Amino acid sequence: MPLVKTWQLIAGSAVAGLALSVAAVTAAGPWDSGQRKAERDRAASWSRTGGTDHDGGPGSGALPEAAPSAPGVLGAIGPGAPREQSAPAEPASAGGLAAALKPLLADPALGTVRTASVVDTATGQVLYESGARDAMTPASTVKIATAAAVLAALGPEHRIRTTVTPGAAPGQIVLVGGGDPSLTAKKKSPAGSGGSLVALAADTAQALKAAGTDTVTLGYDDSLYTGPARHPIGANPNIAPVTALTADEGRPDDSASGPVDRSDDPSEDAARAFRTLLAERGIKVTGEPAKAKAAAGVQPLAVTLSTPVAGLVERMLTNSDNDIAEALARQTALASGRPASFEGAEKAVTDRLTTLGIDTAGSRFADGSGLNRADKVSAGLLTGLLSKAADPQRPELRPVLTGLPVAGFTGTLKARNSGSSPAAGLLRAKTGTLSGVNSLSGTVVDSSGRLLAFAFLTANTPGPEGAEKALDKLAAAVATAS
């Protein structure tokens, strides 16, 4: 039997087995990423007392009991609860909030332009606003929009495929990138679960050996994405070239977040790493990996799947991961029938937010990460998105909330509003920082137990340290004002 056809038969069986395993994982619940898992365990028992008792073993049939040590930061948004029933009896005082925020907004550390929006997520009531419809450069708070758009487009359980297929040339295999930003070439990724080139190489080697093949040539296909791979800011330690085939975000070290010099050609580097992994498993790869196309209409030899979109969204928001953000924006474009480019992603994100009922007039999503100063959103748009994510009728958007860093504990808020701050542990927010631009947008539980969404955007700030302290005071005021 010809080599390609033999591979196809083996690959068909492998893919069928993969489908069964994916179904099992989905049935068991695919999210196991810290904050998300804690909420997914019956959303902290859907009570105001918070977390979950994990003593009940599999098959016990017992519902999780409330654990008083875990405060319920999403307590006002239980499953299917009408908004008017989910709110506390006493309304938040808009007057008290305005009295607390106005003098803090006057802080010169916030620059020459500052806008604000605070909304009760349960009722939609605007509690405070100042320039809430003014389009501003949001920096990384635009990732909230990226997150909402991709979740609306693909759903939280979707996984991105990286495959190996027979090539068009005899004896050739092709590594095909699907745009998985969690793909790793390491045995244990420092970033956590995701697509694995190690597992993909093992499965590929097994399929090839079963077909009696131990020597191949290797091509790689990253053509899923179009347009410039470089972000408009150019070569920058905060982001790698945006390609459909990138392992470990093009990082040369074991870092999982933060700035570091990146690969100039992540696709080629991923292919070279894959060649090495194949060789370690007894498959000889002749020549250098080269760009190629998979044979048309063939089944893959092997497949590896990304972290579910929900987990990618959480990782992006918690660590302000620019590489994940740009990948998710392109996945939104692909799901929307747009080119997977900066331009296509911009149009797709705008369309998805509009479909969610968000007014995008005056907004621009020039990238998914917020590194582009051409991005424009308003404080009102951000609180609108956060309110949508809190809506019991929009459970697919919940990772927008659960992925936000927790003040004093996780991600980019680990050292902010920490310790004795009244907002520590209650505030979840996305930070944004560019030169002269500082922003903060998220949710907080106020003194009456309501979940409030807020956004503060600034421009022409004299320095990041003073601006961040001033923003933290504003957020803490939202938590404590009555």
Side-chain angles (χ1 to χ4, degrees):
M1 178 180 290
L3 184 59
V4 170
K5 291 186 178 179
T6 304
W7 287 355
Q8 290 175 18
L9 290 175
I10 296 170
S13 300
V15 172
L18 176 66
L20 290 174
S21 65
V22 170
V25 170
T26 301
W31 298 308
D32 191 16
S33 52
Q35 294 168 218
R36 179 62 180 170
K37 180 179 179 182
E39 191 215 0
R40 188 156 172 78
D41 285 333
R42 293 298 299 270
S45 298
W46 297 115
S47 76
R48 292 186 189 174
T49 51
T52 318
D53 181 352
H54 296 279
D55 289 340
S60 67
L63 292 176
E65 297 180 1
S69 61
V73 297
L74 301 179
I77 50 174
R83 285 175 175 261
E84 62 272 14
Q85 294 180 12
S86 64
E90 293 297 325
S93 169
L97 188 59
L101 294 182
K102 282 182 178 179
L104 295 176
L105 279 168
D107 190 332
L110 294 174
T112 60
V113 184
R114 66 290 303 268
T115 64
S117 174
V118 183
V119 175
D120 185 327
T121 64
T123 64
Q125 179 187 3
V126 176
L127 300 178
Y128 181 80
E129 62 180 16
S130 176
R133 301 296 175 266
D134 297 345
M136 301 275 286
T137 298
S140 279
T141 54
V142 83
K143 290 183 174 77
I144 293 172
T146 304
V150 73
L151 288 164
L154 292 172
E157 297 184 37
H158 178 79
R159 294 174 186 252
I160 303 165
R161 291 158 52 101
T162 304
T163 64
V164 176
T165 71
Q172 182 189 51
I173 60 173
V174 180
L175 176 63
V176 184
D180 175 10
S182 67
L183 187 66
T184 180
K186 295 179 171 62
K187 291 182 179 179
K188 185 175 181 181
S189 169
S193 63
S196 171
L197 284 180
V198 177
L200 189 64
D203 291 344
T204 301
Q206 182 178 11
L208 291 173
K209 290 176 182 178
T213 299
D214 60 7
T215 303
V216 296
T217 60
L218 175 62
Y220 62 94
D221 185 350
D222 63 356
S223 62
L224 186 64
Y225 290 176
T226 59
R230 282 285 186 193
H231 190 282
I233 62 173
N236 189 286
N238 289 295
I239 189 169
V242 185
T243 78
L245 179 61
T246 300
D248 301 296
E249 299 186 341
R251 296 174 178 272
D253 55 15
D254 288 331
S255 64
S257 62
V260 65
D261 288 339
R262 309 302 183 88
S263 166
D264 289 329
D265 192 342
S267 298
E268 183 179 39
D269 285 354
R272 288 176 179 274
F274 190 65
R275 178 187 62 179
T276 299
L277 291 169
L278 286 175
E280 291 173 354
R281 286 151 183 81
I283 301 298
K284 181 180 179 181
V285 179
T286 60
E288 292 293 319
K291 286 198 174 186
K293 279 286 193 179
V298 299
Q299 289 289 335
L301 296 170
V303 179
T304 187
L305 301 179
S306 73
T307 302
V309 165
L312 294 174
V313 163
E314 287 190 324
R315 194 180 298 178
M316 171 188 69
L317 293 172
T318 298
N319 295 325
S320 198
D321 193 302
N322 299 313
D323 300 274
I324 294 178
E326 298 303 344
L328 293 183
R330 277 162 174 71
Q331 293 297 318
T332 303
L334 290 168
S336 305
R338 300 276 192 181
S341 61
F342 283 105
E343 182 179 354
E346 176 179 353
K347 293 176 180 177
V349 169
T350 303
D351 291 344
R352 289 291 174 175
L353 299 190
T354 300
T355 300
L356 286 173
I358 299 297
D359 182 4
T360 59
S363 300
R364 186 180 176 194
F365 306 96
D367 68 1
S369 61
L371 290 172
N372 196 328
R373 290 178 180 271
D375 290 326
K376 298 294 177 186
V377 305
S378 67
L381 181 143
L382 292 174
T383 54
L385 285 172
L386 293 167
S387 295
K388 287 286 183 184
D391 188 343
Q393 304 305 314
R394 290 284 186 180
E396 74 277 10
L397 300 182
R398 194 61 54 80
V400 175
L401 302 186
T402 60
L404 294 172
V406 179
F409 288 92
T410 62
T412 55
L413 283 187
K414 187 173 184 178
R416 295 176 60 174
N417 265 319
S418 57
S420 60
S421 168
L426 295 179
L427 167 70
R428 302 172 94 144
K430 183 69 202 73
T431 57
T433 306
L434 292 171
S435 178
V437 173
N438 297 90
S439 54
L440 190 67
S441 180
T443 64
V444 68
V445 179
D446 74 356
S447 57
S448 66
R450 287 185 172 235
L451 184 71
L452 307 184
F454 68 86
F456 301 109
L457 304 177
T458 71
N460 306 317
T461 58
E465 184 176 353
E468 288 176 1
K469 289 181 179 179
L471 289 170
D472 290 346
K473 289 178 182 178
L474 284 164
V478 176
T480 57
S482 60

